[in-house]
Amino acid sequence: MGTTYLHAVASLDGYIADENDDVGPLHDWYFNGDHPLVDEDHPDIHGSPFRVSAASAEYVRGMWSRQKVLVIGRHQFDLTNGWEGHPPASEHVVVVSHRPRPEGWHPEAPYHFAGSVEEGIARAQELAGDGEIGVGAGDVGGQALALGLIDHVAIDVVPVVFGRGKPYFGPLAGGDLMLGDPEVVVQGDGVLHLRLPVRRG
């Protein structure tokens, strides 16, 4: 079974974007260093190539190299248009959506549509083998966490306070959830990378 982890960049008070889906300064650290993260084959899709600090590059490259599948919600798919079929990392993308794949949308792209969070994670497990599965934070990620389908929480904390917006954990149901002590703590430039295990039972 592939290891699942919830992931996103978040403000210090736990928001992944403001109420209008604007990330503000949350992604500034992706462009403040000298170390490239991804290939530059699709600059029209991903914008300027990610160039981060040495510490962030080592952390993110390792995470992306292990990630075989990315699970996202339909909202993120629509916002990015699925990165035109070329996600920054992973071999497959599973989109949790009640709507089917858009007709004629990049038929060759390794994107799979699932009608529920449970179905999406199960499909991701089939595709990932022993690789890791990244699950986008927000509504879908919060549901997966509440359902006990997440093994780790990976959060890139940026020292900014939003005050309101789209919460990292979405509308997490079920009350308090205690995580284990951080297994990874990496200080980048303008970002702190954390990875914590989810406690079972």
Side-chain angles (χ1 to χ4, degrees), residues 142 145-147 171-178:
L145 183 63
L147 289 166
L172 184 62
D176 295 346
L177 175 66
M178 191 69 184

Side-chain angles (χ1 to χ4, degrees), residues 167-189:
Y168 177 95
F169 293 102
L172 184 62
D176 295 346
L177 175 66
M178 191 69 184
L179 304 177
D181 289 336
E183 298 172 329
V184 176
V185 179
V186 176
Q187 182 175 339
D189 184 357

Side-chain angles (χ1 to χ4, degrees), residues 159-170:
V160 61
V161 176
F162 274 16
R164 61 185 180 275
K166 304 285 181 75
Y168 177 95
F169 293 102

Side-chain angles (χ1 to χ4, degrees), residues 42-62:
H42 306 99
D44 54 326
I45 298 168
H46 299 296
S48 302
F50 295 151
R51 294 186 177 275
V52 300
S53 68
S56 289
E58 182 178 3
Y59 171 75
V60 176
R61 284 177 189 156

Side-chain angles (χ1 to χ4, degrees), residues 129-151:
D130 294 331
E132 292 192 351
I133 299 164
V135 181
D139 290 351
V140 166
Q143 291 177 54
L145 183 63
L147 289 166
L149 301 175
I150 298 295
D151 299 311

Side-chain angles (χ1 to χ4, degrees), residues 88-99:
S90 79
E91 298 171 4
H92 296 271
V93 175
V94 175
V95 182
V96 176
S97 174
H98 295 299
R99 289 176 285 146

Side-chain angles (χ1 to χ4, degrees), residues 180-200:
D181 289 336
E183 298 172 329
V184 176
V185 179
V186 176
Q187 182 175 339
D189 184 357
V191 63
L192 179 66
H193 307 287
L194 299 173
R195 183 165 169 140
L196 309 94
V198 176
R199 290 182 176 176
R200 304 294 189 191

Side-chain angles (χ1 to χ4, degrees), residues 7-30:
H7 178 252
V9 182
S11 65
L12 198 57
D13 53 345
Y15 295 103
I16 57 177
D18 69 14
E19 293 155 323
N20 299 312
D21 294 308
D22 187 349
V23 297
L26 289 182
H27 291 179
D28 288 357
W29 65 274
Y30 276 123

